[in-house]
């Protein structure tokens, strides 16, 4: 019953129907979108309705003959499809009727279908035998607007910093010799200090603006220049300066902080020891108070008890040394003491030995070294005494009675550094994505041997799937990190323990994400990505260690999990445990019951795209893992297994919990943020990125959700398809999405990105 | 009804019962193991049976009070548990009765339980409050025997080669300057040539032993010295020499092959072009036959048509250039032509331009360069004419009529290189695992604050899970690669197309595996792994590009998938497609029906550990993916979507198929191999490694199996637990397992591994 001549009413829908049926776009909710549009279309005649509605039933798809006829009609029209049109398919349809009929108004119902089904050029450009006017990337969104949303209230600081990076001293170059590289980086750090960036997070009297949020933001931007520069900067101002600022008192601030911010004093942060790695509480270096001389003696007792991997060790004149403080024969636990390690002529002080750590996989512009102390004497005043002090009468006292609590309070000063490391990792991921996307928007590879031109790499579905979820994740993590830094630096929030747990988790997830992403970008750029000149290689080498330093990710994730388990109580013991367990049991009870068959099998687009679903799924996972790991630990403890060993036995379970918790945290923060975006167009884009992140993360753990019966196989498949589809839908905007990171042009020097 | 005094019969079982119940070791099949042992134990009295069997019901576990009492009895015995005993727990039990009773014969029924349940020190050492005599690694297995099994019939060649690597020229050192590094590597390659290793795979008249299998084995061993050395070696003898050997005829062999094997001629393999990457068929360089002068003119037409990333480009005097051969105005497709690129004084020949590619992420000892040809004239004889020739009368002829088939036949010469790249990746993975394991057997971290000593890293369950499945995978891939190289170099197998498909898949899977493994090892060694001196960093940089060169993994996996789809027919068209589809449908039909409820939910140890289950699961996945992707393609094609575009639309599906196929192939090859191991003890060890590999791989894709309903959530969880358990069970042997790789001590110079 097909005619060769369609009415104008039907004709305009033909391209849509062809795309929908050829690309298997239809799900039940989508049928209703199209149906509704047609039913509301008052321009249609009765016969038009009949014809169109006939082909909207999934159970009776149009026969192949009909499809082929539709295709012929479309191809014969000779009309070009312009990808950069706001509604390319609706506009194309309109042009088709104009071609055949006198009246051809733009039909907004078509536009609605195009928007609601999310039909993108990738869905049809291989279907039609028509000329397609392509652009590598659409200009529908404005990268400057996106960048502004991400920058938030730090826009002025960030813009000024990015402009400052134009200075030729920040121009990237290949540096193979570590000595020359280190001197270059030192010069860069001094330049940053001169401009006031070093002291930024300190109080005004010490040259700063007390802006930790801005500090973290510029720290990320430093990665666009060089990882070594960022890390040496972080060691000097964040770790060394930060230890004085946060563990010291006014006398230390006055004596050292202003000069540290100016790099007039170069310092290092001597915490980690060769033999003890992540176990900071177990460091062996001693700081013994000597009453007779009113001084503290710093000493490295054993062969493997030296300070290890200390950044800035070769350039520094001072060190903030973490050691067991022994007063009157009693060990009061780990404290930090300022130790002069070099004199004015840069010679080592008596008793101090420093050795170069040598070449590393990356960050060769950072001078890491090992430090040994042999009975090195410093004045009592050098004890950074905010949380524990020795009085002039030689007695130890601290406002924090519990040595455990005191230790963790001091370690809390590392939390800011962990946020910065995650930000730096994120910066590395962003830059490598920007390079890979720009390359993929130029690079052509293979074709169908009909076309003259090979296809753009970015047009391959597998390429879209490799890069797009990672881009979405960058947006989510950016927002999450900005938020957590605001909370961390908010003086109104006194108790930071919960934030510490959260940072431990986020740092792990984001630095792993950064490494995976950079690796994917390297491979996505093929051999070109392997050349140093294209800058991904350096990022890969530099960011690699981010998973280890400032807290090994495995250790931190367990810390996060224990935080969750103990309901954010920093101490965990079997006495408090049962109470926590009871609480968890109560909370989790009602959550389990929600999961019913309609829910587990719901593959509706609206449902799959709703943040309500994502939040529920993330929440369910965190709670369920918390509950089950707690039960396992309880059972072990009941059987007489010591608590330490019980935790060891559930270690992989704890890691899963730490991950689940962190993903949930990042997503929830992001959703709150997107709701606050005023401009609707950008808000919807941000929401779409959040949806892609959530579905991608849920899919990564699909086996767990399937095991729990939280989703069915059908739903799991539908989620996978949605991840692929969203990646394709975002294809036209992918160039804009990486431009939205705001990486300055003067930091994008990679030849393949230009 | 617990007494303080047990009979000797009961007492000896107490440690077992305590371990079993405390560590939740019991599954149904395991209950039967214990039951059977007890029932067959004729030394027991009737009351003993009654007591023991009472505590063998999963539904009525012993109350906590009983467990605690058992523990007390064990602890009070004051007996040491010696981990290095062959049957530590059975021996411990025996000692316990000796302590209380006069007669205490060794009870072999206990031994049986210990073996059959796979109880390992990790299961109990945290449970008992007894002294445990530990050793970092057990000597139950002999690494030399394991190594011998892996070496197979190449043992003599491999042993001689490993001994040769003691030469001080192969001592590892940090090399930062590419010029010096390249000269050093050149010297190493010349040294290898002098010893006859370069020509190894050539025929005897050309200095070789025609031993491609041995060649691949020593190639892997080269990675223990340096990646750059391996790759430059491969370029000179495998790619350049290989192109002469395989694409040339006797005149070329006589003129060049002997000299190439001796490095008297240095050559490069000029295939890839900047603008065309993986699309070799689309190279733009032309080789135009000029009848008047009987010569061929090599020319680079456009800016981006230069040869790119050509290894050995700066040291070579000749190049094997892949170009479109044009004879009498007709393009006959890609052919290889020998071109002299430098004269005796190492000056470039007229018309040849070569530029250094510069520094790379790794392999900086390999001199990669770009090459342009401007109307470079070479004699007609320089055409490597095995598959296509120009006669003296100036006409083109080939025995292979179909240009497509001709092209793929020529490309087939790359297959040997792909196996070698996979082997090299495997070598990198092995060495990094050996370093990481040796480090983890020394390095201590944290403790329960009761013990003096911190725990060994290797005793952490998460650490076991990070490294052990990777070690098992090395064994599987080693066997798979040896096997495929044997097939590839077997002159009895004429049609190598199936092997090409298989190699495409294996190369992708193994090089990705190698990268993931090296990264995991880097992180597992913490900051130490980041130092160049510890050698993981270099491996990481070198192996990275293996996923890209000799065929990009994404491209190769699609090639593998297409091979599977077309039932190993190298051509694929819609005509042949329906027939293939029908065939697949028939084959797959009976496979689907096997899956029933008992099967999908079977969590029995015997079932989960049986290669029958693994094989079925792998086979099911490959067939199911083949079937569904074929159906999708058919639907697209029916709707008029051109075949090229249809393949594009199912790209991610094809990648999944390529992976599934390769894993199945590797596993099946491995199982056949293990069945052939004569010595039972080692055979069982190899089988256990295969089981760990299979379960680990199946778990990685658990979401897919769950979606298909092939396994239930319960079975999926059981599989995860088995992976963790196997990793723990292999813990005592982990040092031996990495020693079994046979990496010579003189190549294990990393300080953390010593």
């Amino acid at each position: 019953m097909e005619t060769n001549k369609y009415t104008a009413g039907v004709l305009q829908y033909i391209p849509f129907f062809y795309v929908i049926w050829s690309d298997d776009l239809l799900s039940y909710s989508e049928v209703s979108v199209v149906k509704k549009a047609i039913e509301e279309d008052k321009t249609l005649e009765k016969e038009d309705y009949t014809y169109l509605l006939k082909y909207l039933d999934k159970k009776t798809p149009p026969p192949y003959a009909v499809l082929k006829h539709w295709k012929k009609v479309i191809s014969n029209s000779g009309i070009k499809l312009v990808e950069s049109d706001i509604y390319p398919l609706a506009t194309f349809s309109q042009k088709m009727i104009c071609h055949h009929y006198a009246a051809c108004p733009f039909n907004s119902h078509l536009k609605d279908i195009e928007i609601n089904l999310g039909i993108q050029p990738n869905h049809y450009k291989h279907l039609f035998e028509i000329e397609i006017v392509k652009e590598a990337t659409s200009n529908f969104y404005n990268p400057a607007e996106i960048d502004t949303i991400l920058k938030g209230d730090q826009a002025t600081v960030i813009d000024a910093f990015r402009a400052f990076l134009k200075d030729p001293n920040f121009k990237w170059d290949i540096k193979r010799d570590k000595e020359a590289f280190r001197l270059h980086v030192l010069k860069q750090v001094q330049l940053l200090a001169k401009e006031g960036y070093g002291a930024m997070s300190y109080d005004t009297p010490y040259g700063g603006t007390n802006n930790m949020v801005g500090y973290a933001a510029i720290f990320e931007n430093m990665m666009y220049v060089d990882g070594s520069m960022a890390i040496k900067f972080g060691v000097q101002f964040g770790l060394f300066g930060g230890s004085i600022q946060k563990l010291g008192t006014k006398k230390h601030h006055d004596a050292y902080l202003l000069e540290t911010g100016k790099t007039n004093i170069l310092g290092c942060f001597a915490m980690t020891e060769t033999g003890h790695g992540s176990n900071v509480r177990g460091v062996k270096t001693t700081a013994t108070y000597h009453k007779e001389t009113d001084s503290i003696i710093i000493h490295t007792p054993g062969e493997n008890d030296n300070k290890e991997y200390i950044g800035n060790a070769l350039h520094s004149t001072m060190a903030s040394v973490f050691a067991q403080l022994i007063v009157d024969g009693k060990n009061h636990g780990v404290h930090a003491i300022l130790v002069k390690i070099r004199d004015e002529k840069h010679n080592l002080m008596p008793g101090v030995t420093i050795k170069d750590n040598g070449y590393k996989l990356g960050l060769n512009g950072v001078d890491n070294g090992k430090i040994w102390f042999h009975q090195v004497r410093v004045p009592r005043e050098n004890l950074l005494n905010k949380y524990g002090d020795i009085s002039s009468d030689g007695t130890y006292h601290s406002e924090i009675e519990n040595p455990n609590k005191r230790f963790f309070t001091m370690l809390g000063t590392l939390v800011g550094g962990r946020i910065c490391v995650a930000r730096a990792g994120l910066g590395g991921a962003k830059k490598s994505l920007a390079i890979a996307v720009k390359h993929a928007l130029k690079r052509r590879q293979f074709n169908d041997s009909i076309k003259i031109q090979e296809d753009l790499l970015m047009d391959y579905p597998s390429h879209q799937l490799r890069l797009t979820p990672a881009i979405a994740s960058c947006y989510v993590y950016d927002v999450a990190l900005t938020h957590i830094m605001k909370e961390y630096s908010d003086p109104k929030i006194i108790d930071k323990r919960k934030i510490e747990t959260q940072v431990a988790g986020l740092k792990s997830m984001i630095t792993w994400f950064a490494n995976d992403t950079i690796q994917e970008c390297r491979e996505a750029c093929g051999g070109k990505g392997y050349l140093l000149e294209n800058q991904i290689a350096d990022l890969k080498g530099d960011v690699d260690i981010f998973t280890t330093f400032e807290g090994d990710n495995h250790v931190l994730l367990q810390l996060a999990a224990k935080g969750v388990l103990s309901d954010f109580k920093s101490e965990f013991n079997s006495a408090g445990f049962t109470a926590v367990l009871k609480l968890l049991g109560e909370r989790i009870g009602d959550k389990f019951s929600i999961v019913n068959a309609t829910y587990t099998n719901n593959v509706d687009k609206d449902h799959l795209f709703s943040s309500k679903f994502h939040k529920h799924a993330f929440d369910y996972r965190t709670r369920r893992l918390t509950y089950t790991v707690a039960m396992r630990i309880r059972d072990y403890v009941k059987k007489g297994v010591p608590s330490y060993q019980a935790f060891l036995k559930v270690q992989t379970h704890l890691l899963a919990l730490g991950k689940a918790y962190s993903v949930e945290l990042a997503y929830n923060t992001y959703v709150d943020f997107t709701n606050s975006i005023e401009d609707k167009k950008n808000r919807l884009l941000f929401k779409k990125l959040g949806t892609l992140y959530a579905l991608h993360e849920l899919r990564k753990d699909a086996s767990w959700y399937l095991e729990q019966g939280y989703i069915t196989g059908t739903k799991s498949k539908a989620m996978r398809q949605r991840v692929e589809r969203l990646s394709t839908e975002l294809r036209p905007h992918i160039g804009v999405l990486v431009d939205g990171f705001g990486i300055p042009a003067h930091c994008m020097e990679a030849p393949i990105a230009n």
Side-chain angles (χ1 to χ4, degrees), chain A:
Chain A
M1 274 284 293
E2 298 301 322
T3 56
N4 279 318
K5 177 94 173 154
Y6 295 103
T7 62
V10 166
L11 186 59
Q12 63 186 335
Y13 280 94
I14 294 295
F16 283 88
F17 274 50
Y18 182 72
V19 168
I20 286 167
W21 286 108
S22 291
D23 209 34
D24 299 323
L25 276 172
L26 276 194
S27 76
Y28 283 98
S29 70
E30 288 156 348
V31 169
S32 66
V33 165
V34 184
K35 260 201 184 133
K36 202 174 149 220
I38 290 170
E39 279 159 8
E40 288 180 357
D41 187 346
K42 300 301 171 212
T43 67
L44 297 177
E45 302 295 325
K46 205 178 162 195
E47 307 82 65
D48 296 342
Y49 287 120
T50 316
Y51 181 89
L52 293 170
L53 294 177
K54 183 172 78 179
Y55 290 128
L56 273 183
D57 189 341
K58 278 219 92 168
K59 287 178 216 122
T60 55
Y64 290 122
V66 173
L67 276 171
K68 283 200 170 170
H69 186 257
W70 288 348
K71 187 182 177 184
K72 204 173 136 198
V73 171
I74 296 162
S75 305
N76 289 350
S77 72
I79 292 163
K80 288 183 193 173
L81 194 147
V82 183
E83 272 193 13
S84 58
D85 276 342
I86 298 185
Y87 308 108
L89 198 57
T91 311
F92 177 84
S93 281
Q94 186 199 7
K95 287 182 194 157
M96 246 177 63
I97 352 175
C98 298
H99 193 71
H100 292 283
Y101 296 92
C104 49
F106 184 77
N107 188 337
S108 67
H109 299 287
L110 296 174
K111 186 193 83 177
D112 289 344
I113 298 176
E114 193 163 1
I115 293 170
N116 285 316
L117 290 197
I119 303 177
Q120 298 289 345
N122 279 291
H123 293 133
Y124 49 75
K125 72 178 173 207
H126 294 316
L127 297 172
F128 298 159
E129 281 166 6
I130 51 170
E131 191 177 338
I132 296 185
V133 182
K134 273 198 217 184
E135 286 189 4
T137 190
S138 138
N139 61 0
F140 182 70
Y141 296 104
N142 180 350
E145 286 175 18
I146 296 172
D147 183 30
T148 301
I149 292 171
L150 287 183
K151 284 182 296 196
D153 56 13
Q154 297 301 316
T156 318
V157 171
I158 295 171
D159 289 342
F161 185 71
R162 286 177 180 164
F164 179 58
L165 295 181
K166 255 192 189 155
D167 185 299
N169 282 295
F170 299 119
K171 202 170 154 59
W172 184 85
D173 201 4
I174 291 173
K175 296 176 201 76
R176 299 294 290 176
D177 176 65
K178 67 178 161 66
E179 316 305 336
F181 193 179
R182 288 168 177 181
L183 285 176
H184 179 71
V185 170
L186 176 61
K187 194 177 158 192
Q188 289 177 324
V189 170
Q190 288 164 335
L191 202 64
L192 290 165
K194 206 175 157 194
E195 198 71 13
Y197 287 113
M200 203 167 149
S201 66
Y202 306 156
D203 273 340
T204 349
Y206 308 107
T209 52
N210 205 4
N211 183 0
M212 194 68 188
V213 181
Y215 176 89
I218 66 157
F219 195 74
E220 178 183 321
N221 278 268
M222 283 183 212
M223 289 299 291
Y224 303 150
V225 173
D226 179 53
S228 292
M229 181 180 93
I231 298 309
K232 193 173 175 89
F233 180 95
V235 168
Q236 166 70 17
F237 307 111
L239 292 179
F240 174 68
S243 71
I244 298 171
Q245 182 195 16
K246 299 213 167 123
L247 302 181
T249 47
K250 191 164 185 302
K251 63 181 177 188
H252 303 111
H253 299 168
D254 290 346
Y256 305 108
L257 209 51
L258 187 67
E259 297 304 305
T260 298
K262 286 181 176 169
T263 58
N264 293 338
I265 297 172
L266 291 175
C268 57
F269 186 80
M271 179 184 265
T272 308
E273 293 179 1
T274 304
H276 315 284
S278 299
N279 187 4
V280 176
R281 210 188 326 198
V283 294
K284 293 276 193 285
T285 303
T286 51
T288 313
Y289 177 64
H290 191 244
K291 202 170 173 178
E292 289 67 32
T293 54
D294 195 25
S295 59
I296 298 169
I297 293 156
I298 311 292
H299 187 64
T300 307
E303 200 187 350
N304 279 318
D305 302 330
N306 60 288
K307 295 299 173 183
E308 174 68 272
Y309 241 109
I310 308 304
N312 222 4
L314 300 177
H315 292 161
S316 290
T317 54
M318 294 209 78
S320 203
V321 179
F322 287 76
Q324 305 287 348
L325 183 65
I326 297 160
V327 182
D328 206 12
K330 192 182 169 206
N331 186 343
H332 294 279
V334 177
H335 288 67
I337 300 104
L338 287 175
V339 181
K340 190 168 179 180
I341 54 174
R342 286 193 177 86
D343 65 16
E344 290 63 32
K345 290 178 178 161
H346 210 67
N347 292 318
L348 287 171
M349 295 296 284
V352 177
T353 308
I354 298 184
K355 279 188 193 162
D356 191 342
N357 265 124
Y359 279 103
K360 293 160 292 182
L361 174 51
L363 298 180
N364 279 303
V366 181
D367 48 317
N368 290 96
K370 311 181 197 200
I371 311 180
W372 290 258
F373 299 97
H374 183 75
Q375 309 285 358
V376 176
R377 190 179 298 266
V378 299
R380 175 170 56 92
E381 286 70 37
N382 282 25
L383 173 66
L384 294 172
N385 59 343
K386 184 161 177 190
Y387 298 112
D389 199 5
I390 305 169
S391 311
S392 52
D393 65 357
T395 55
Y396 177 84
H397 59 94
S398 167
E399 284 176 22
I400 310 171
E401 287 285 320
N402 183 331
N404 258 335
K405 197 176 166 190
R406 194 190 309 139
F407 173 73
F408 283 111
T409 306
M410 289 197 213
L411 235 59
T413 58
L414 285 172
V415 172
R418 282 183 186 149
I419 301 175
C420 286
V421 166
R423 277 230 88 104
L426 183 62
K430 284 180 182 171
K431 183 164 174 180
S432 59
L433 282 167
I435 294 168
V437 164
K438 283 170 189 294
H439 176 60
L441 289 174
K442 286 192 313 168
R443 175 79 174 175
R444 295 182 180 277
Q445 189 96 294
F446 293 106
N447 62 11
D448 56 7
S449 60
I450 300 161
K451 279 182 291 181
I452 300 289
Q453 220 171 20
E454 293 178 305
D455 285 329
L456 278 178
L457 268 189
M458 203 63 249
D459 288 324
Y460 285 94
S462 63
H463 220 76
Q464 292 157 7
L465 196 60
R466 289 165 86 175
L467 302 180
T468 321
I471 292 171
S473 305
C474 283
Y475 278 88
V476 173
Y477 292 140
D478 186 302
V479 167
L481 285 175
T482 301
H483 178 78
I484 199 107
M485 186 48 111
K486 279 186 182 164
E487 296 217 311
Y488 173 68
S489 55
D490 183 349
K492 289 194 297 294
I493 304 174
I494 309 291
D495 188 345
K496 308 278 191 201
R497 280 173 297 178
K498 184 167 182 176
I499 295 169
E500 286 178 38
T501 298
Q502 296 180 332
V503 168
L506 288 177
K507 184 266 182 185
S508 304
M509 294 306 293
I510 295 173
T511 54
W512 268 327
F513 158 76
N515 272 289
D516 291 345
T517 301
I518 295 169
Q519 180 63 25
E520 197 63 62
C521 291
R522 202 301 287 153
E523 293 183 34
C525 293
K528 288 285 182 192
Y530 198 63
L531 295 174
L532 285 201
E533 63 177 22
N534 288 321
Q535 301 198 358
I536 293 175
D538 267 5
L539 287 172
K540 192 180 148 176
D542 292 349
V543 171
D544 179 298
I545 195 67
F546 291 8
T547 62
T548 300
F549 70 18
E550 300 281 314
D552 177 89
N553 283 1
H554 279 89
V555 176
L556 288 184
L557 269 187
Q558 290 175 69
L559 199 74
K562 285 177 190 171
V564 177
L565 264 180
S566 61
D567 206 19
F568 313 118
K569 288 187 186 69
S570 57
E571 285 299 306
F572 196 98
N573 54 54
S574 50
F577 186 69
T578 318
V580 172
L581 197 68
K582 207 177 147 204
L583 189 69
L584 272 170
E586 281 165 13
R587 282 207 207 143
I588 211 166
D590 60 330
K591 290 286 164 183
F592 283 169
S593 58
I594 290 176
V595 181
N596 59 43
T598 327
Y599 185 89
T600 57
N601 209 24
N602 190 346
V603 296
D604 221 58
K605 182 182 168 183
D606 290 342
H607 169 69
L608 293 179
F609 279 23
S610 77
S611 58
K612 202 178 152 205
F613 162 56
H614 310 147
K615 282 185 168 191
H616 188 276
F618 288 137
D619 182 54
Y620 172 82
R621 181 171 61 174
T622 309
R623 286 179 189 278
R624 177 88 194 142
L625 287 171
T626 307
Y627 180 76
T628 48
V629 79
M631 291 297 281
R632 284 183 65 196
I633 294 170
R634 189 191 61 169
D635 284 354
Y636 280 124
V637 171
K638 264 198 178 174
K639 285 167 187 164
V641 178
S643 138
Y644 172 82
Q645 307 297 356
F647 273 99
L648 211 58
K649 280 175 174 293
V650 298
Q651 206 185 17
T652 54
H653 201 148
L654 286 174
L655 293 171
L657 171 58
K659 285 181 195 171
Y661 172 71
S662 313
V663 169
E664 182 186 3
L665 173 68
Y667 181 70
N668 287 350
T669 310
Y670 184 77
V671 169
D672 290 346
F673 176 80
T674 54
N675 289 334
S676 75
I677 299 173
E678 287 185 16
D679 172 61
K680 190 184 169 194
K681 189 171 100 173
N682 288 317
R683 183 168 69 243
L684 291 179
L685 175 66
F686 270 70
K687 276 183 185 292
K688 190 174 234 179
L689 292 166
T691 301
L692 178 54
Y693 172 79
L695 289 176
H696 182 65
E697 284 297 326
L698 292 171
R699 270 295 309 169
K700 277 204 274 182
D701 209 13
S703 65
W704 186 85
Y705 283 104
L706 286 158
E707 281 173 7
Q708 305 297 321
Y710 185 85
I711 53 172
T712 61
T714 313
K715 188 166 182 173
S716 178
K717 284 185 213 171
M719 286 160 68
R720 187 180 62 223
Q721 283 158 6
R722 288 294 170 182
V723 169
E724 294 193 14
R725 178 91 72 88
L726 280 168
S727 299
T728 299
E729 284 179 21
L730 287 165
R731 159 66 187 88
H733 312 296
I734 200 153
V736 175
L737 286 175
V738 294
D739 286 342
F741 294 150
I743 304 169
H746 44 276
C747 296
M748 287 290 292
E749 294 160 310
I752 50 166
N754 286 292

